[in-house]
Amino acid sequence: MRPLSLRARALLALATAAAVPPLVILGVRRLGLGDGWALAAAMAVMLPLLAWLAACWLAPLQRLTRALEGAVLSYRDGDFSLNLAPDGPRELAGLMQGHAELGQALREQRQHLAQRELLLDTVVQNTPTALVLTGPGGKVAIANLAARQLLAGGRSLTGLDFAAVIAPLPAPLRDALQGEADQLFSVALPDQPEETFHHSTHAFRLQGQPHRLRLLRRMTRELSRAEVATWKRVIRVLSHELNNSLAPISSLAHSGAELARRGDTARLPQVLASIGERASHLHGFLSGYASFAKLPAPRREAVDWAAFLQRLDTLAEFYIDGALPAAPGWFDAAQVEQALLNLIKNAHESGSAADEIALRVGMAGGEQRIEVRDRGPGMSEAVLAQALLPFYSTKRAEPGTPGGTGLGLALVREIVEAHDGRVTLANRDGGGLCVAISLPGSATPPGH
């Protein structure tokens, strides 16, 4: 039998309260007692009856209140297993059913989050990259297995002071972890060969509190593979260039010896001149590699733009696009001049008309920006992605003409990055290439 609704219970209580007193008064009067006794008897019967009816009416509300209070306390403690049975009056049964569905949804959501957290924790703990998350006060909040092995011999780091954890570490590793910049460094760990690591760090706020994430990735194998690939590429380029020069020199020397044996000395000067030309080219080629390998640290100084570009104009053909900055530049004039000469030379060799090779100088976001623009064919996406790599060249050797060494743009990049700047390449609308050099502004020169 379904329980009565709250409305039915209220109507029953009102009907009882209206019908019982007259019946009691009528019965007392039939017994011959006065009105006073009749009223007293009615009150004696009605008060307990009304109290019982009120208790019956309020009982479901009291049970629901206690149940909801217990459920709320359980939810506050993170326990969503409590479920209310949808019984009682129809009005309260609907509320309990809604509460049960809410609890089920919260349980499913909690289970889903727990599974995602388990998956994330599994990934974090098993990644070879050492990960350390520190919270307020520099306390370690999370440290994965790789971090524990690297920093503490496998011991748990959670809750420890990060500064105390890294204090006994080798100086290069400690200095990197104390810093707030990404960097590449090498360190010799106890009973292990020297390893190269990449340290990256990021600060953020979690639940309103400052946190910092540090990542240490072993780069020894990657750098070794890259070094081997680079050496192979260097050897291929050097072998190709040496063979291209030594083979003609050997042939010309043999020809010269044969002419001398025959007494035909009239052609000897031409043969010797050819040998000297090939030897001079080989010397210039090797000097270019040597200058790339021995690039000194830049000596920054204030540079007057007008005088600097006037001197550059005597070495290469270009025109200045736009007005020059009022503030002087701040860089190593000789090195930046060499970089710009390489870029202007590339622009001429791209097939661009000489009167369309422009140089623009300006300030952008506190940085010095120098652009070299041409109207050549530009570069494909594949070439743009590799153009700044050493020994990568798109210039092919023509008969009697040496091919590219792949060091022009690489030397530009080396010079610019030594100035803490960057190089970007982009194709221009309407054809051509724009090579932009961005250097730190003179207001805050690096190292000052």
Side-chain angles (χ1 to χ4, degrees):
M1 181 177 178
R2 294 184 63 184
L4 296 175
S5 66
L6 291 177
R7 179 177 295 180
R9 295 185 184 209
L11 292 175
L12 179 60
L14 291 174
T16 302
V20 170
L23 293 176
V24 173
I25 292 174
L26 181 60
V28 171
R29 284 178 176 175
R30 286 183 177 180
L31 293 175
L33 299 176
D35 292 340
W37 286 101
L39 182 59
M43 293 293 293
V45 172
M46 279 304 301
L47 289 177
L49 180 61
L50 289 175
W52 177 77
L53 290 174
C56 292
W57 190 82
L58 292 174
L61 293 177
Q62 291 174 337
R63 289 198 301 271
L64 177 61
T65 300
R66 288 193 297 269
L68 288 176
E69 183 180 3
V72 169
L73 292 176
S74 297
Y75 288 178
R76 187 180 64 183
D77 295 336
D79 180 11
F80 304 116
S81 61
L82 184 63
N83 198 3
L84 302 183
D87 59 359
R90 288 194 299 272
E91 297 88 345
L92 301 184
L95 176 61
M96 292 182 179
Q97 179 64 32
H99 187 276
E101 294 173 356
L102 172 62
Q104 179 65 24
L106 291 174
R107 283 193 296 274
E108 292 176 356
Q109 186 180 36
R110 180 69 174 270
Q111 184 179 12
H112 178 66
L113 291 175
Q115 291 175 347
R116 290 184 62 182
E117 184 177 352
L118 177 62
L119 174 61
L120 179 61
D121 183 67
T122 302
V123 172
V124 168
Q125 293 299 329
N126 291 280
T127 182
T129 300
L131 179 152
V132 179
L133 176 66
T134 54
K139 300 295 183 181
V140 178
I142 297 175
N144 68 351
L145 180 60
R148 297 198 298 271
Q149 292 289 349
L150 178 64
L151 305 180
R155 292 180 291 105
S156 175
L157 300 178
T158 305
L160 299 181
D161 182 69
F162 185 68
V165 170
I166 66 175
L169 297 177
L173 179 58
R174 182 178 66 250
D175 294 342
L177 291 172
Q178 286 175 339
E180 297 182 358
D182 296 355
Q183 60 177 297
L184 200 67
F185 66 95
S186 298
V187 60
L189 299 173
D191 302 325
Q192 296 185 29
E194 184 176 81
E195 291 238 33
T196 301
F197 291 86
H198 179 260
H199 171 255
S200 59
T201 180
H202 177 65
F204 60 96
R205 300 189 73 83
L206 181 64
Q207 296 179 344
Q209 298 292 328
H211 287 70
R212 180 170 288 276
L213 179 66
R214 294 174 174 85
L215 299 174
L216 282 170
R217 180 184 176 191
R218 296 178 186 267
M219 301 293 293
T220 307
R221 291 183 179 179
E222 289 81 354
L223 291 176
S224 296
R225 285 196 293 264
E227 184 178 6
V228 170
T230 300
W231 276 114
K232 287 181 178 179
R233 194 179 300 115
V234 171
I235 292 171
R236 285 198 301 269
V237 173
L238 291 176
S239 298
H240 176 77
E241 191 63 30
L242 288 173
N243 287 332
N244 283 349
S245 295
L246 293 178
I249 288 174
S250 177
S251 177
L252 289 168
H254 177 76
S255 300
E258 186 65 21
L259 289 173
R261 187 182 65 80
R262 294 177 182 178
D264 185 4
T265 58
R267 296 171 57 188
L268 279 177
Q270 181 182 356
V271 171
L272 294 175
S274 297
I275 292 176
E277 180 184 347
R278 295 307 306 175
S280 177
H281 165 73
L282 186 59
H283 175 73
F285 174 82
L286 295 176
S287 296
Y289 274 78
S291 65
F292 179 79
K294 298 178 181 178
L295 184 69
R299 299 178 62 181
R300 299 175 179 87
E301 59 184 358
V303 178
D304 179 73
W305 286 110
F308 173 75
L309 295 178
Q310 184 177 4
R311 184 173 63 254
L312 185 65
D313 187 49
T314 63
L315 303 173
E317 187 177 357
F318 63 93
Y319 75 91
I320 299 175
D321 182 12
L324 299 178
W330 182 263
F331 49 82
D332 186 314
Q335 290 190 8
V336 173
E337 179 182 279
Q338 181 61 52
L340 293 177
L341 284 174
N342 283 3
L343 296 180
I344 296 171
K345 176 176 176 288
N346 287 348
H348 281 281
E349 294 176 352
S350 71
S352 173
D355 59 357
E356 290 185 326
I357 298 175
L359 191 146
R360 173 179 289 184
V361 180
M363 298 293 294
E367 290 184 328
Q368 306 164 99
R369 184 177 176 89
I370 310 173
E371 297 180 357
V372 177
R373 303 179 175 189
D374 63 54
R375 282 299 181 187
M379 293 183 177
S380 67
E381 293 297 327
V383 174
L384 281 174
Q386 303 182 73
L388 295 173
L389 296 178
F391 317 114
Y392 178 83
S393 176
T394 59
K395 300 175 186 175
R396 298 295 176 235
E398 302 293 339
T401 304
T405 63
L407 288 177
L409 285 175
L411 180 59
V412 172
R413 177 182 177 181
E414 187 77 8
I415 290 172
V416 172
E417 291 186 349
H419 282 75
D420 302 310
R422 65 186 185 279
V423 182
T424 56
L425 292 82
N427 289 316
R428 299 178 63 189
D429 294 336
L433 187 70
C434 174
V435 184
I437 295 175
S438 298
L439 303 174
S442 58
T444 56
H448 284 64

